[in-house]
Amino acid sequence: MFNLNWKRLGIAAGLSLSLVAAGCGSDEGSEEENTSGGDGENTEQAVNYGEELDYTITGVDAGAGVVGAANDAIETYGLDGWEVQTSSSGAMTQALTQAIEDEEPIIVTGWTPHWKFAEYDLHYLEDPEGVFGGEEQIKTMAKQGLKDEKPNLHKILDQFNWTAADMESVMLEIRNGTPEEEAAKNWIDENQDKVDEWTKGTEEVDGTTAKLAYVAWDSEIASTNVIGEVLRQQGFEVELSQLDNGVMWKAVAEGEADGMVAAWLPGTHGDLYESYEDQLEDLGANLEGAKIGLVVPDYMDVESIEDLQAE
């Protein structure tokens, strides 16, 4: 593996959340809430979850753009007292899983593609101010000079392209216990026609090193293992290095990694792209229609970030 000053991703402590029923009363002293106005229509408002959640949004690592956008959302929507608790992708999904098992409220920084949308009933909170932006692309980045140095590697990375459904199928298989490399091989075996398009016009090599960097998100674990296995089958000696967001970009920009297929733009990695765009080669999108935002279970009675404002 190449030598880098790697940063370990922090694992946040588990969240202890309790679901509190809304207090109510009627004019006859019963415990059944009366929410009717003078015309008999229901005027009940969405539940405010601030106190139940200790005004905390469960995030991923601090360098992720979705965390920065979540902090911007707190300011934009005037969510006084709210904060984003950073952790790791694994810790976030663990907290989400536990909350859903207990049917407790939780708000997480989320993105699509991700296996959690196939596993659980979830929805994004509406973002009328557009803080989280529109659709994202996941792009491939290569170090400068890769085309001349390793033309076959460059061409395969340049031709790598798949769908959200492809990625989510690999993620879910890994989530269900299949080792990462085995899940990648399974997907390749079932989608050889797509793989043939990625390797079209290239020649097999004999032990040429291919160094790929990635961040420890379920989506990027899936994509990097798939392209890594394709490269192995083409004769490359593949080195996959899991890094912090900033270190990943720096590794490619400074040539310590040959490339990555994990660049979320324009929002998630926008600041990092601006810092390093003159030091690397943008090979374009390998996946269209990605998205980031705040995500909640469907059983929570909240539809918009605006609904999180204090009463």
Side-chain angles (χ1 to χ4, degrees):
M1 304 293 256
F2 51 91
N3 185 24
L4 289 171
N5 181 19
W6 297 0
K7 298 181 182 177
R8 294 184 178 275
L9 298 175
I11 303 297
L15 300 177
S16 177
L17 303 173
S18 58
L19 183 63
V20 180
C24 53
S26 74
D27 57 1
E28 294 179 346
S30 72
E31 294 188 5
E32 191 174 83
E33 184 177 12
N34 182 351
T35 60
S36 296
D39 57 2
E41 293 182 359
N42 192 319
T43 60
E44 183 179 5
Q45 295 183 343
V47 177
N48 187 291
Y49 290 97
E51 291 186 3
E52 290 98 313
L53 293 173
D54 196 24
Y55 297 95
T56 298
I57 296 167
T58 302
V60 289
D61 52 293
V66 68
V67 170
N71 282 316
D72 290 343
I74 288 173
E75 181 177 353
T76 299
Y77 289 97
L79 305 182
D80 297 336
W82 284 84
E83 64 177 3
V84 182
Q85 181 179 18
T86 57
S87 56
S88 67
S89 174
M92 179 275 288
T93 52
Q94 183 178 4
L96 177 65
T97 297
Q98 188 62 57
I100 289 173
E101 288 178 354
D102 297 335
E103 203 166 321
E104 294 177 339
I106 189 170
I107 302 170
V108 301
T109 55
W111 60 92
T112 309
H114 196 282
W115 60 261
K116 62 181 177 286
F117 288 93
E119 187 84 352
Y120 305 124
D121 295 324
L122 306 169
H123 63 270
Y124 283 97
L125 294 183
E126 295 173 6
D127 176 22
E129 297 295 332
V131 176
F132 289 92
E135 286 191 351
E136 296 245 295
Q137 297 177 324
I138 306 178
K139 304 185 82 174
T140 302
M141 300 289 162
K143 71 177 184 181
Q144 290 186 344
L146 182 64
K147 187 174 183 178
D148 293 330
E149 181 183 343
K150 302 174 183 178
N152 290 294
L153 173 58
H154 182 276
K155 193 172 186 67
I156 292 170
L157 291 177
D158 192 26
Q159 294 179 160
F160 170 55
N161 181 277
W162 63 345
T163 68
D166 293 326
M167 178 184 275
E168 286 178 344
S169 68
V170 180
M171 281 193 283
L172 190 56
E173 186 171 355
I174 294 172
R175 158 70 177 170
N176 289 336
T178 303
E180 295 163 6
E181 289 187 10
E182 183 179 342
K185 290 177 182 178
N186 291 342
W187 186 90
I188 290 168
D189 289 344
E190 296 171 1
N191 295 273
Q192 192 60 52
D193 56 336
K194 290 187 178 182
V195 174
D196 289 344
E197 290 298 315
W198 305 346
T199 60
K200 186 176 181 179
T202 67
E203 299 176 352
E204 292 187 5
V205 300
D206 185 13
T208 301
T209 302
K211 300 177 181 179
L212 301 181
Y214 68 104
V215 65
W217 297 345
D218 296 315
S219 50
E220 311 324 309
I221 290 170
S223 60
T224 306
N225 273 276
V226 166
I227 194 63
E229 182 57 32
V230 169
L231 293 171
R232 287 190 189 95
Q233 294 181 8
Q234 290 296 107
F236 287 91
E237 186 69 32
V238 178
E239 298 179 11
L240 306 183
S241 295
Q242 179 178 302
L243 306 172
D244 176 79
N245 269 303
V247 183
M248 174 181 70
W249 280 84
K250 184 178 181 182
V252 179
E254 295 186 353
E256 295 186 57
D258 292 313
M260 61 172 167
V261 295
W264 284 62
L265 293 167
T268 305
H269 288 143
D271 291 344
L272 289 164
Y273 180 72
E274 289 181 7
S275 297
Y276 293 111
E277 64 177 316
D278 294 333
Q279 299 173 249
L280 43 72
E281 182 184 1
D282 183 347
L283 298 182
N286 61 63
L287 188 146
E288 301 277 359
K291 182 178 180 179
I292 62 173
L294 297 183
V295 173
V296 299
D298 283 351
Y299 56 73
M300 288 179 63
D301 185 20
V302 58
E303 298 298 328
S304 172
I305 301 174
E306 292 179 314
D307 297 335
L308 303 179
Q309 295 171 347
E311 294 291 335

